[in-house]
Amino acid sequence: MLVNASDISCLRQWIADAKRIAVVGHTHPDGDALGSTVGLALYLQAQGKEVTCLYPDCIAANLRFILPEGLPVHIHDAQKRSAESAVEKADLIFLVDANTFKRTEGLEPVLKASPARKVLIDHHLNPDTDSFGLVFSTPEISSASELMYWMLKAMEEGVVPPIVASRPLPEGPSLLSGRGWPEIGGTTPSPIGTALLTGMTTDTNNFANSVFPSTLQMASELLASGVDRDAILQQVYQSYRENRVRLMGYMQSENLTLLPGGGAYMILTKAIQHRFDLKEGESEGLVNVPLTIGEVRLSVLLKEDEGHFRVSVRSKKGTSAQQLAQRYFHGGGHENAAGGKLFIGEDIPSPEKAADYVEQALKDFLQ
Ligand SMILES: [Mn+2]
């Protein structure tokens, strides 16, 4: 689905009408959730809007650099009252990098109850279009950060970027001129560009998947504008603690189960998390590792949480991670990268039964 030029004009008007804006990301925000929301928030701030970024829960240490100083951020888990009051005061709400308010966990009721105008900007399958006045949903793109890049460019420059339906856009006032972004050859990288390039980089697993011609064009334009990709890579991929590397080794050596038919799974129990002193975001990337084995086409990682397991699913082309997540784990996402939950008490009687459940699910699904 292409972004529609008249929707861009409508969005521009809604932003012009708004005073206080809430920009909301999903639970356990990843690099794309943070990059796309921060990129949008900085753009709105530059237009004189009062902007707050909201996330349901804590942000991984290696991703905190994406949040710039001077941008109000509320984490609902830790700052329930201020986060909900920011939603109540907002006259315009954005949900970015998630297809439904359900993915905002505890923030969902106050978001649904708000009478504000609501905009969805996302790249997952099956968007909840009923809850939003404006929907920008494009699954054929690398990331929400890339979608945001082309939308901001369309709003700013009145040009027709590669993902926008080819109808001329009305000219608008340009914030980009004089800011060094995203003009080719500029020398001052914009924090907006840095946030968006970071989000695209993490969602493509550093250009390993979901890379489209438009993705490389975005990267090219941002590099030309002076965004420091080396600094981004160092922050995201080379700032972990020692315990993470040891955990990755342990899980691959002692915990990985391969099934006939191309299934693989690992279960990160609370005991293992405790043993390695695991913090939010420190198992990021682990689910991708089994796919490096020739026979494996579907990899599942279960991470024990309160009352449920968080489930990550990755697949090779031709096998649908999204279908597995939807059928067996109350989830969904993208064709080859999806997620969900396995509820203790509802789906399985006790945490010890998780292995049986995931084995059966993989066997059924892959036969
Ligand atoms: Mn994303």
Side-chain angles (χ1 to χ4, degrees), residues 26 30-33 36 97-98 122-124 142-145 199 203 334:
H26 61 71
D30 56 9
D32 189 34
S36 57
D97 193 34
D122 185 40
H123 68 128
H124 296 85
S142 66
S143 53
S145 296
D203 245 32
H334 312 289

Side-chain angles (χ1 to χ4, degrees), residues 258-264 290-300 313-321 335-336 362-363 365-367:
L258 300 186
L259 301 172
L291 287 182
T292 61
I293 302 168
E295 304 82 65
V296 173
R297 51 195 176 109
L298 192 54
S299 167
V300 179
V313 188
R314 299 291 183 275
S315 64
K316 285 180 185 157
K317 226 174 182 168
T319 303
S320 177
E335 188 60 11
N336 299 118
L362 281 167
K363 278 180 190 155
F365 186 77
L366 286 168
Q367 64 170 291

Side-chain angles (χ1 to χ4, degrees), residues 339-360:
K341 284 180 179 177
L342 182 65
F343 293 99
I344 300 160
E346 186 184 311
D347 300 316
I348 49 173
S350 67
E352 293 71 36
K353 296 291 177 196
D356 294 345
Y357 184 96
V358 67
E359 275 201 24
Q360 197 57 52

